[in-house]
Amino acid sequence: MRLVVSSKSLKTLLVASKDKPTIAKIHALMILTGIFGHGNSNAKLILSYARLGHIESARQVFDKSPQRGVDAWNAMIIAYSGRGAMFEALSLYHRMASEGVRPDSSTYTVVLKACTRSLDLRSGEETWRQAVDQGYGDDVFVGAAVLNLYAKCGKMDEAMRVFDKMGRRDLVCWTTMITGLAQNGQAREAVDIYRQMQKKRVEGDGVVMLGLIQACTTLGHSKMGLSIHGYMIRKDIIMDVIVQTSLVDMYAKNGHLELASCVFRKMLYKNVISWSALISGFAQNGFAGNALQLVVDMQSFGYKPDSVSLVSVLLACSQVGFLKLGKSVHGYIVRRLHFDCVPSTAVIDMYSKCGSLSSARTVFDQISFRDLISWNAIIASYGIHGSGEEALSLFHQMRETKVKPDHATFASLLSAFSHSGLVEKGQYWFSVMVNEYKIQPSEKHYACMVDLLSRAGRVEEAQELIDSMITEPGIAIWVALLSGCRNHGKFLIGEMAAKKVLELNPDDPGIYALVSNFFATARRWDEVAEVRKIMKKTGMKKVPGYSVMEVNGKLHAFLMEDKSHHQYEEIMQVLGKLDYEMKAMGYVPKTEFVLHNLEEEVKERMLCNHSERLAIAFGLLNTGPGTRLLITKNLRVCGDCHEATKFISKIVNREIVVRDVKRFHHFKDGVCSCGDYW
DNA sequence: TAGCCTCACC
């Protein structure tokens, strides 16, 4: 019996084959039947081997082909480029000419793709020039590839130059521009290009919409995002898992978690990325508990968390001080996944925000590759723990590497100086930032400097600095100035700062307390009454303060006057006993931190029931003598609680660490590491 | 033959 095998059927089999032995059999059959060596059969074989990762076999086919058409060369370049072997891909491309094979449109496209993968702008531009020389300058495939090269290398100006000159543009060219602009932080320009595209009556598909959704995400334009979503539904544009995931991401990043969850729930097909998008949305918006619950849910649906979703878990852990879970996630990533730059930075941040600065440092010292963000994270870690000198020393080490400090590095460094009271160092490095690094100071940088100068009593200099600002100073700056004025009795400047603070109407009751205290210190009772009036009007709607503490691997959260806790009675007994001992040692409740019109005794009781106080008492009840307590608070620690915690640390002979929204307070033996200025 | 999704510091 004679077996008839057609070239076409073998090629179809090749595309469908899922393992090397099958391909090898078809390969053998091709040789036996004489198909091998004709047409582009060798190219198909090369691609099939490469698809399954057998690059050596692919190369053997290439080397043993009796004649190699341009398809075989292209296939081999794709094979190398897909494996990240850029050098081999490029050398093949260079060899083609010497072997008398003329590159075609595909060759330029795949070589440009290879250059894009390795971000090799120089080779890419050279390839593009050669493509133009050979008459492929108007080819939309080559054009889209060069636009993508520029976009991925962050050269959108260059991309725009090429795009403007293009004789023909297909949908992919438009999309590459829109996506490229959106991903390079030029979201407005992305929208402009889309408008141009509409004018030319080019219909957008899901991928174009995805670029626009990303633009909405960065611009924070949820309204526009919503209208794009509606447009896709009306126009029946297919929303695949990628487009749906970016919708989830867009809604979540813009704070619309219900909408994000709603899109997510309606997704028929989900993947780990869509879960991660939702989880990170909750974590980034401060809903640590929901984020953690979602990770449990995703596992029950059979999805295994990857390093991206676990980074969000770490973020949630750092928010609430969940050291135990953070530690186990760290271990899991190290053992099972890739512990590269992003997860290691998240781990550093988690340890430092959970109070373990030394663990953060150990991880930082062990990682082999440190990028800008890892340096920023470790510098910030020392800053929030009040170690300005160590932050500076790390900054010096960073300057010895190739990594260039950015605005965030200086924000962390200056904040470290302000938390450590290093005024001259702050001034010096602020001027270095502006003059040497040409970084335009932002609101955060100014706030650090104003804080630094004001706490040293140099409020006039602080005011001069504020006057030199080009942008309108925000609340953080006026609050910093006001604190200094209050502490140093500078009433004239302070009054102006207080008025500014009230105009800006902050959300934080602690800030109203500061303003009220300032006026009380200046004996300006009318203004004190005015602040109370504002508080009464808006104050009751403020974010409720809560404190979180981990005991035996479980998190316990406390709200102010929280009676729901099963140990509430015991907690109140502990607090009562402590109150008695504290008063005997000279503690006087700072009732000015309660701004309601209440009797003194009631105010005192309210102070006593602040969430951080409840958490401390709970910690004392449930941990052994001498154990360090770590409490995480969502707002700034209250001034009276700060005073009380100092006394408590001495009475119970414990180290009490409180992390508030700004920094760490290490209370030990009646003293706080912040030096009573925060 | 093409273009596309999630994560770290401030």
Side-chain angles (χ1 to χ4, degrees):
Chain A
M1 189 180 79
R2 194 165 167 261
L3 190 68
V4 182
V5 192
S6 78
S7 156
K8 201 176 160 197
S9 57
L10 279 184
K11 283 176 193 166
T12 312
L13 275 176
L14 264 182
V15 175
S17 51
K18 291 194 171 63
D19 52 47
K20 195 180 170 187
T22 313
I23 298 175
K25 276 179 204 152
I26 301 169
H27 187 177
L29 223 66
M30 280 181 161
I31 295 171
L32 281 172
T33 51
I35 289 171
F36 183 71
H38 289 285
N40 64 357
S41 59
N42 47 1
K44 294 276 177 201
L45 262 172
I46 290 167
L47 289 174
S48 300
Y49 277 122
R51 180 165 48 87
L52 299 176
H54 300 290
I55 195 93
E56 298 81 12
S57 308
R59 182 64 197 237
Q60 272 179 17
V61 175
F62 179 78
D63 286 337
K64 288 186 180 158
S65 296
Q67 51 198 8
R68 289 186 289 246
V70 66
D71 284 345
W73 287 87
N74 292 348
M76 202 58 226
I77 293 171
I78 292 171
Y80 279 130
S81 145
R83 298 280 290 174
M86 300 307 156
F87 178 77
E88 286 81 355
L90 280 175
S91 30
L92 271 189
Y93 166 62
H94 292 133
R95 246 182 66 196
M96 284 175 83
S98 58
E99 303 217 356
V101 183
R102 236 177 85 90
D104 64 1
S105 149
S106 269
T107 315
Y108 293 113
T109 309
V110 298
V111 173
L112 280 166
K113 274 182 88 175
C115 297
T116 306
R117 254 187 87 116
S118 56
L119 300 179
D120 185 348
L121 188 60
R122 261 185 64 180
S123 307
E125 284 186 317
E126 201 186 307
T127 311
W128 167 236
R129 268 194 300 275
Q130 289 158 356
V132 174
D133 283 349
Q134 294 300 312
Y136 291 106
D138 259 344
D139 185 292
V140 282
F141 286 69
V142 180
V146 75
L147 292 179
N148 196 32
L149 169 82
Y150 281 129
K152 290 286 159 15
C153 293
K155 303 271 180 200
M156 286 317 293
D157 289 352
E158 294 297 308
M160 196 64 97
R161 213 174 37 80
V162 174
F163 183 73
D164 282 340
K165 279 197 220 151
M166 285 174 100
R168 289 196 309 138
R169 297 166 183 158
D170 68 353
L171 181 60
V172 178
C173 295
W174 286 101
T175 317
T176 309
M177 285 306 289
I178 292 168
T179 310
L181 287 165
Q183 292 180 348
N184 280 289
Q186 292 172 262
R188 277 174 214 291
E189 290 81 352
V191 177
D192 287 344
I193 294 282
Y194 175 65
R195 303 250 182 266
Q196 284 182 39
M197 186 184 128
Q198 281 182 311
K199 270 188 200 150
K200 303 248 177 202
R201 307 208 171 274
V202 180
E203 282 285 322
D205 65 356
V207 189
V208 175
M209 297 304 139
L210 182 123
L212 290 173
I213 293 164
Q214 288 180 332
C216 295
T217 310
T218 41
L219 289 171
H221 282 181
S222 37
K223 253 194 177 156
M224 192 170 118
L226 202 64
S227 72
I228 293 168
H229 191 178
Y231 179 81
M232 285 192 287
I233 295 171
R234 280 198 309 281
K235 290 270 177 176
D236 252 343
I237 293 175
I238 296 169
M239 287 185 259
D240 63 4
V241 62
I242 297 176
V243 175
Q244 287 174 319
T245 300
S246 65
L247 278 172
V248 170
D249 184 53
M250 186 267 298
Y251 286 128
K253 286 233 174 75
N254 288 335
H256 300 289
L257 291 163
E258 319 76 35
L259 281 171
S261 308
C262 180
V263 175
F264 180 79
R265 271 197 305 272
K266 286 188 179 158
M267 286 171 75
L268 290 176
Y269 173 77
K270 299 178 175 85
N271 60 21
V272 181
I273 301 179
S274 18
W275 279 95
S276 294
L278 189 66
I279 293 167
S280 81
F282 275 98
Q284 286 168 353
N285 282 286
F287 295 96
N290 303 58
L292 296 178
Q293 183 56 48
L294 278 168
V295 179
V296 176
D297 295 348
M298 91 184 261
Q299 286 166 309
S300 68
F301 279 101
Y303 296 92
K304 230 168 105 182
D306 61 358
S307 65
V308 178
S309 33
L310 290 177
V311 163
S312 295
V313 174
L314 288 167
L315 188 68
C317 291
S318 14
Q319 281 169 14
V320 290
F322 204 165
L323 181 62
K324 186 153 177 153
L325 180 62
K327 252 187 196 167
S328 65
V329 170
H330 174 201
Y332 184 86
I333 301 178
V334 169
R335 282 193 312 274
R336 313 277 282 273
L337 303 164
H338 291 293
F339 194 58
D340 48 25
C341 236
V342 177
S344 60
T345 305
V347 167
I348 290 168
D349 182 61
M350 180 278 297
Y351 277 125
S352 100
K353 295 216 174 112
C354 291
S356 288
L357 184 57
S358 56
S359 304
R361 181 57 183 264
T362 308
V363 174
F364 179 78
D365 286 339
Q366 282 168 354
I367 56 176
S368 50
F369 181 74
R370 299 175 189 134
D371 69 358
L372 174 65
I373 302 181
S374 359
W375 280 103
N376 289 353
I378 193 72
I379 291 171
S381 300
Y382 279 96
I384 55 171
H385 282 274
S387 308
E389 295 285 1
E390 192 52 37
L392 180 60
S393 149
L394 280 157
F395 177 73
H396 282 306
Q397 288 178 45
M398 175 186 183
R399 297 223 299 170
E400 284 163 22
T401 69
K402 274 192 196 151
V403 182
K404 213 178 125 207
D406 72 345
H407 66 99
T409 319
F410 282 100
S412 299
L413 189 67
L414 296 175
S415 143
F417 292 145
S418 101
H419 289 149
S420 308
L422 300 168
V423 186
E424 275 71 32
K425 284 201 166 76
Q427 285 181 306
Y428 174 74
W429 289 104
F430 183 79
S431 75
V432 170
M433 171 182 90
V434 177
N435 301 319
E436 192 182 314
Y437 287 93
K438 310 285 178 215
I439 294 172
Q440 184 71 37
S442 71
E443 169 91 17
K444 273 195 181 115
H445 300 120
Y446 279 115
C448 289
M449 291 311 293
V450 170
D451 182 59
L452 198 57
L453 290 165
S454 313
R455 71 185 294 180
R458 291 153 70 167
V459 288
E460 292 81 6
E461 283 172 73
Q463 203 196 349
E464 275 170 32
L465 186 68
I466 296 174
D467 292 341
S468 75
M469 287 175 66
I470 307 164
T471 51
E472 195 60 34
I475 190 132
I477 290 177
W478 296 118
V479 167
L481 186 68
L482 182 60
S483 309
C485 290
R486 189 208 168 200
N487 288 357
H488 296 280
K490 307 267 184 175
F491 296 126
L492 211 65
I493 298 180
E495 189 184 336
M496 186 264 302
K499 295 241 157 92
K500 292 279 187 188
V501 171
L502 292 180
E503 270 171 35
L504 292 167
N505 193 15
D507 312 317
D508 183 350
I511 290 177
Y512 284 105
L514 175 73
V515 180
S516 162
N517 292 344
F518 168 78
F519 284 124
T521 316
R523 314 190 75 74
R524 302 274 296 266
W525 306 114
D526 288 352
E527 280 85 354
V528 172
E530 183 67 23
V531 178
R532 287 179 187 217
K533 231 163 78 189
I534 299 175
M535 276 292 284
K536 212 168 183 179
K537 233 172 34 195
T538 60
M540 299 307 156
K541 290 177 231 148
K542 304 300 174 197
V543 184
Y546 65 79
S547 297
V548 181
M549 172 178 250
E550 180 199 315
V551 169
N552 297 327
K554 275 183 91 174
L555 286 187
H556 299 262
F558 297 89
L559 283 164
M560 186 171 115
E561 296 192 300
D562 194 345
K563 292 179 185 160
S564 63
H565 198 274
H566 68 282
Q567 282 181 308
Y568 184 71
E569 292 300 321
E570 292 162 76
I571 288 171
M572 291 319 288
Q573 275 173 18
V574 171
L575 285 178
K577 202 166 152 259
L578 282 171
D579 195 49
Y580 179 77
E581 289 181 53
M582 274 156 42
K583 280 184 177 150
M585 287 169 75
Y587 159 77
V588 181
K590 292 188 168 187
T591 49
E592 70 260 28
F593 284 96
V594 180
L595 283 176
H596 314 291
N597 271 324
L598 300 165
E599 297 302 317
E600 284 302 307
E601 199 191 322
V602 181
K603 282 188 189 176
E604 226 180 274
R605 237 184 12 247
M606 282 185 72
L607 284 173
C608 203
N609 291 349
H610 268 173
S611 64
E612 50 267 59
R613 225 65 85 92
L614 301 180
I616 291 172
F618 170 77
L620 292 173
L621 272 170
N622 295 286
T623 56
T627 313
R628 191 178 81 149
L629 301 181
L630 171 68
I631 289 127
T632 306
K633 196 179 173 191
N634 67 331
L635 304 173
R636 277 151 31 113
V637 61
C638 140
D640 177 66
C641 289
H642 189 269
E643 198 58 26
T645 311
K646 290 199 287 185
F647 280 96
I648 297 171
S649 72
K650 200 171 170 76
I651 294 167
V652 299
N653 194 25
R654 296 253 201 148
E655 188 184 350
I656 302 173
V657 183
V658 179
R659 191 190 105 201
D660 72 5
V661 76
K662 279 189 90 173
R663 62 165 294 158
F664 270 92
H665 300 264
H666 293 262
F667 297 92
K668 206 175 173 183
D669 212 19
V671 191
C672 178
S673 61
C674 78
D676 296 346
Y677 196 106
W678 72 99

